[in-house]
Amino acid sequence: MSTTIWSREEFTARLRAVAAERYHDRHPFNVRMHEGALTPAELRRWILNRFHYQRHIPIKDALILAKFDDSELRRSWLRRIQDHDGEKDGDGGIERWLRLGEAAGIERARLESGDEVLPGVRLAVDGYVNFCRLHGPLEAVAASLTELSAPGIMRTRIAAFEEHYRWIDADGLTYFRNRIGQGSRDSEEALALVLRWARTPDQQEAAVAALAFKCDVLWSLLDAVECARELS
């Protein structure tokens, strides 16, 4: 472990480098998606399996929120849960993902059942939820910093869907559109917390490792989806 603490600028650069170099936008499946090379069946398989991750986002955020001893911070983090669960029925990111599935020809009940979620996807998502459950607030929040790259991939994805997957109704892309602004806001908020909390070399390295782990989670999820394509 390092014995020298990084400056705020170097620490920020190291975190951003992990997000830039290991984010799943480089995964072959995402590359093919954005090039327009996926078949309808492949795209539906991804939507089905990615939904398993989406529906666990508010669960992991609730686990993180429970670690905070500051009421102002809890109120701020609660917004993330509301972003996905919605403040009322028919609202929120989970609902918007269900509408994406419907726009792609997947019945809502089929998505919600989870019957077609691949074992590798379940393992990756469970790993991330358990990481947030078992680690302290610094590492749990640092793992969420994949959101630093989220706005970029959302813009790329919207353009790809509009060009290559026109059979999906444009209203189904609302989830992606909303995440551009939410991801920018959430990543800057989380980055500020990590920079404030990581005061020792060990804490800084733990934060970088947590972000790398989250990148591995997202990569592993796509590995499972890609492998299913090859075996089918």
Side-chain angles (χ1 to χ4, degrees), residues 14-213:
R14 286 176 182 264
L15 290 166
R16 291 189 181 278
V18 171
E21 295 168 6
R22 300 181 62 162
Y23 193 55
H24 65 163
D25 59 338
R26 296 168 177 251
H27 192 284
F29 189 88
N30 261 336
V31 171
R32 291 199 308 115
M33 180 193 297
H34 297 154
E35 290 175 345
L38 297 186
T39 66
E42 289 173 329
L43 193 55
R44 292 186 183 106
R45 181 186 300 126
W46 172 74
I47 292 171
L48 279 162
N49 280 276
R50 175 74 186 199
F51 181 64
H52 186 67
Y53 172 82
Q54 299 299 139
R55 74 196 313 179
H56 282 83
I57 291 175
I59 296 173
K60 67 89 179 174
D61 278 323
L63 291 168
I64 295 173
L65 182 150
K67 300 175 188 294
F68 299 153
D69 58 7
D70 179 84
S71 58
E72 182 178 356
L73 184 52
R74 286 195 297 270
R75 285 193 297 269
S76 176
W77 206 265
L78 179 62
R79 186 193 62 237
R80 295 169 181 252
I81 299 174
Q82 293 170 335
D83 282 346
H84 283 84
D85 279 339
E87 297 186 32
K88 60 182 184 298
D89 288 343
D91 188 25
I94 290 176
E95 172 64 25
R96 285 188 281 273
W97 195 273
L98 287 167
R99 292 176 185 172
L100 168 64
E102 289 174 327
I106 307 170
E107 293 182 358
R108 179 175 294 243
R110 183 181 170 194
L111 265 169
E112 292 181 321
S113 74
D115 292 342
E116 298 172 65
V117 177
L118 297 163
V121 172
R122 293 187 188 278
L123 185 63
V125 172
D126 285 351
Y128 181 39
V129 172
N130 284 326
F131 183 91
C132 293
R133 176 183 291 112
L134 298 173
H135 287 75
L138 170 62
E139 290 168 275
V141 170
S144 76
L145 286 175
T146 48
E147 292 173 333
L148 290 167
S149 300
I153 197 174
M154 292 303 162
R155 292 187 183 95
T156 300
R157 188 162 290 159
I158 290 166
F161 272 61
E162 290 178 338
E163 179 179 358
H164 302 298
Y165 307 109
R166 296 180 182 177
W167 52 274
I168 296 179
D169 191 280
D171 289 343
L173 307 184
T174 303
Y175 176 86
F176 303 142
R177 300 186 196 284
N178 280 35
R179 286 306 297 167
I180 293 174
Q182 291 173 351
S184 297
R185 177 201 64 202
D186 291 349
S187 62
E188 291 305 316
E189 177 185 64
L191 179 60
L193 291 174
V194 170
L195 292 175
R196 189 170 83 214
W197 291 344
R199 300 177 178 177
T200 70
D202 286 356
Q203 289 173 334
Q204 289 182 331
E205 291 195 1
V208 171
L211 177 52
F213 167 80

Side-chain angles (χ1 to χ4, degrees), residues 1-15:
M1 301 291 282
S2 173
T3 58
T4 303
I5 192 165
W6 298 319
S7 68
R8 181 184 180 91
E9 293 72 23
E10 183 177 1
F11 186 26
T12 301
R14 286 176 182 264
L15 290 166

